[in-house]
Amino acid sequence: MSSEHFDVVIIGAGISGICAAHYLQKRCPGKSYVILEQRSKVGGTWDLWRYPGVRSDSDMYSFSFSFRPWDKGWNLSPGQMVREYLADTVEQMGIVQQIRFDHEVKTAAFSSENFCWTLETTGSTSLTGTFLFLCTGYYKYDGGYVPPWPGVENFQGELVRPMAWPDNIDVRDKRILVIGSGATSVSLVPALAATAKEVIMVQRSPTYMATVNSTESAMSSYLRRHFPQSVYSVKRAHWIWDRIWTFWACKAVPSIAARKLIGEVMSQLPSDISKEHFTPRYAPWDQRIAAIADGDLFRAIRDQKVNIVTDTIREFTEGGIVLGSGKELDADIIVAATGFNLQLNYPMNNMEVTIDGKLYRSTEAMVHRGMMLSDVPNCAFVMGYTNSSWTLRAEIVCDRVCRLLQMMEAKGYKQCCPRRDVSEKEEAGGFGHLISGYVARSRDYLPKAGTSAAWRAPPQNYLVEQWMMERSALKETSLEFVRGCPPARL
């Protein structure tokens, strides 16, 4: 069994892992690191999702890395272009050499005696690291959530899940039901409608939607070719402010925001389309707002290529489904775009983690600064924004982790560990403002947040949190530092 030591072990080679590697190379060039990736390619989520129409639902100017500006002219990019962007990034920045593909971490054990993590991966590989940086995302890659529909085993057609889209499926001239109305459905449905005989989107309840231009204007394209950095900076700032303003407005005046969002959708649809199909039961941004690229879903409805049904599913039959109303819908293919499952041991996910022999349990942990865990030494994780681009917060976290590592090295600290006070009250964690199904199903299994500044759930505001993280002290009373002698609280 081979054994190597690294200053930092990064788990995951998606957006967060690539970001972590860049900041380590830039801010801590003397530290050794390795990235362990369970898949055979970079990209994480973007290597996983391969269904027709897959695209970013965040703008690419804030979703791309600040250290490698997006220059393709797309606001909402097709999935293939995102994968190429990430692959090019690791190549250009010399990160790919530090990635070990097909390495799934099975166990991670921290020893306070040695100030060190020991990790066991697939292939009987063992390595050690001083600091563990978790960049694995928050949902399972097991195919997504499928409700326990009665009679689903009776369906004689193809039942497909977007997360595990088959390469050989033929949708031409087929009758297709897409169950769900979230970001996956609204990008998948128009793509299927291009060649399918019939596409029906079946939703239990509607989702708020907003049309977004997927590509830039001719003038913007001209300016980008001549002033690339300036145009990128302006567009990035525009999209960041737009997301912040939209989220604030939706929370401040939800009824007005709802009328505006629904009104803009209905203005793009035929007059005979019922408003009930686009009127959610919740307030805007209680769940994510689905981006409709160039209004393609609404165009498909206008062209009578797509129909929408709002109802529950009573049961599956051999030829389709029976709705709660009793109406039957026939189908050759049914797509279960019904969401995904959160990791139940977040952010350790499938790893068995112990600290001095004690097993980590997510339900016992409290999140510190939205990036560390109570009583888990020398460890940080990336959790992006749920109301804006994931990458924005990934960069904030990676920057702070690197500054923390620099400070520890300068002061001679071997260990850093968040310690919660017994008086700290618990609240819902990082998904606190969302009521989406995947959150509701898993909320009881997630680490908790507290009420004081260091333990509170992060603000869903990039500019505010950036300001807070840059100015909050690295040596906090809630952090315990060790120099190799008994802990000293600072």
Side-chain angles (χ1 to χ4, degrees):
M1 179 181 292
S2 60
S3 181
E4 300 173 89
H5 180 79
F6 297 90
D7 294 319
V8 181
V9 177
I10 301 169
I11 301 181
I15 291 278
S16 303
I18 295 170
C19 187
H22 166 79
Y23 274 84
L24 281 169
Q25 291 182 169
K26 179 182 178 182
R27 299 291 178 87
C28 306
K31 292 194 178 296
S32 61
Y33 77 90
V34 66
I35 301 177
L36 303 179
E37 169 56 49
Q38 68 175 355
R39 302 177 66 81
S40 59
K41 296 179 181 178
V42 299
T45 294
W46 290 101
D47 181 54
L48 174 70
W49 293 103
R50 301 280 179 153
Y51 63 84
V54 62
R55 62 181 179 234
S56 63
D57 62 350
S58 295
D59 70 278
M60 289 303 300
Y61 293 94
S62 62
F63 188 70
S64 60
F65 302 114
S66 65
F67 50 85
R68 184 159 184 263
W70 178 251
D71 61 358
K72 303 300 182 184
W74 289 76
N75 297 324
L76 300 181
S77 171
Q80 179 60 33
M81 292 184 70
V82 178
R83 288 192 289 272
E84 291 171 356
Y85 168 80
L86 296 175
D88 290 346
T89 298
V90 297
E91 286 284 354
Q92 290 184 18
M93 301 201 160
I95 295 171
V96 69
Q97 294 89 337
Q98 311 302 323
I99 304 174
R100 299 189 182 182
F101 295 106
D102 301 311
H103 276 60
E104 181 180 1
V105 180
K106 296 297 186 180
T107 65
F110 185 81
S111 167
S112 296
E113 181 180 354
N114 300 320
F115 308 112
C116 185
W117 288 94
T118 299
L119 293 87
E120 301 291 339
T121 73
T122 51
S124 299
T125 301
S126 175
L127 54 83
T128 59
T130 304
F131 196 92
L132 187 62
F133 204 170
L134 305 168
C135 300
T136 54
Y138 57 86
Y139 64 85
K140 296 181 180 180
Y141 284 9
D142 61 357
Y145 171 72
V146 178
W149 290 306
V152 67
E153 68 281 358
N154 298 326
F155 181 58
Q156 297 299 302
E158 293 186 82
L159 180 62
V160 181
R161 295 174 292 178
M163 192 181 288
W165 193 266
D167 294 332
N168 59 351
I169 190 169
D170 185 3
V171 302
R172 291 174 297 176
D173 301 319
K174 299 293 179 62
R175 298 166 301 172
I176 304 175
L177 302 182
V178 178
I179 304 174
S181 60
T184 301
S185 295
V186 301
S187 58
L188 175 61
V189 165
L192 295 176
T195 57
K197 178 180 181 180
E198 178 186 38
V199 179
I200 300 177
M201 189 169 86
V202 181
Q203 57 180 11
R204 182 181 58 185
S205 60
T207 297
Y208 284 106
M209 303 177 185
T211 294
V212 178
N213 293 330
S214 65
T215 56
E216 63 187 3
S217 65
M219 176 59 74
S220 179
S221 180
Y222 171 82
L223 292 173
R224 179 173 54 82
R225 289 195 300 271
H226 291 82
F227 311 100
Q229 186 58 52
S230 297
V231 169
Y232 168 78
S233 298
V234 170
K235 285 191 172 185
R236 180 178 171 85
H238 160 75
W239 283 105
I240 290 172
W241 277 105
D242 179 76
R243 287 292 184 116
I244 291 173
W245 159 251
T246 299
F247 183 74
W248 178 86
C250 288
K251 290 300 184 181
V253 284
S255 59
I256 295 175
R259 285 198 301 271
K260 178 176 174 59
L261 287 166
I262 296 169
E264 289 180 351
V265 168
M266 297 308 298
S267 70
Q268 300 174 68
L269 295 171
S271 58
D272 61 341
I273 297 295
S274 174
K275 190 176 180 179
E276 71 165 329
H277 299 311
F278 300 94
T279 305
R281 303 169 186 169
Y282 55 87
W285 267 117
D286 281 352
Q287 298 185 27
R288 289 179 66 92
I289 296 175
I292 310 300
D294 303 316
D296 58 0
L297 174 64
F298 309 135
R299 184 169 58 252
I301 294 173
R302 291 196 304 270
D303 295 341
Q304 299 183 344
K305 295 180 178 180
V306 171
N307 291 313
I308 295 184
V309 173
T310 304
D311 204 340
T312 57
I313 296 174
R314 180 187 299 176
E315 63 179 344
F316 274 60
T317 65
E318 290 186 359
I321 62 173
V322 178
L323 300 175
S325 62
K327 182 178 179 179
E328 296 187 23
L329 298 178
D330 295 330
D332 302 304
I333 300 172
I334 296 179
V335 182
T338 44
F340 46 80
N341 295 306
L342 292 186
Q343 295 284 357
L344 296 185
N345 199 39
Y346 184 76
M348 306 305 183
N349 303 347
N350 294 328
M351 295 187 298
E352 179 182 283
V353 176
T354 57
I355 295 91
D356 294 326
K358 181 182 178 181
L359 186 66
Y360 166 84
R361 292 184 174 86
S362 61
T363 54
E364 299 173 357
M366 183 174 282
V367 179
H368 185 272
R369 294 289 177 191
M371 54 174 272
M372 300 180 78
L373 297 158
S374 59
D375 302 323
V376 181
N378 291 11
C379 178
F381 68 96
V382 174
M383 171 68 196
Y385 292 120
T386 54
N387 69 339
S388 193
S389 295
W390 178 279
T391 320
L392 292 175
R393 188 162 196 277
E395 292 205 36
I396 288 177
V397 171
C398 291
D399 176 75
R400 187 172 178 89
V401 167
C402 287
R403 289 192 290 118
L404 178 63
L405 293 174
Q406 288 174 328
M407 187 272 290
M408 290 177 65
E409 183 175 21
K411 301 288 186 180
Y413 297 127
K414 301 296 184 181
Q415 179 177 307
C416 170
C417 186
R419 301 292 188 191
R420 58 183 288 191
D421 191 274
V422 292
S423 62
E424 190 67 40
K425 296 180 180 179
E426 292 186 352
E427 290 188 346
F431 298 89
H433 76 282
L434 290 181
I435 61 171
S436 304
Y438 63 90
V439 177
R441 290 191 297 272
S442 307
R443 196 180 298 278
D444 291 342
Y445 300 98
L446 295 171
K448 302 299 186 288
T451 55
S452 61
W455 300 98
R456 196 174 299 137
Q460 293 294 310
N461 185 311
Y462 168 68
L463 298 177
V464 169
E465 187 170 21
Q466 185 182 48
W467 182 88
M468 289 171 56
M469 286 290 214
E470 288 178 352
R471 285 158 179 77
S472 61
L474 292 171
K475 294 193 293 183
E476 305 180 79
T477 56
S478 52
L479 289 178
E480 180 182 85
F481 291 90
V482 181
R483 282 195 175 95
C485 54
R489 297 292 286 268
L490 299 179

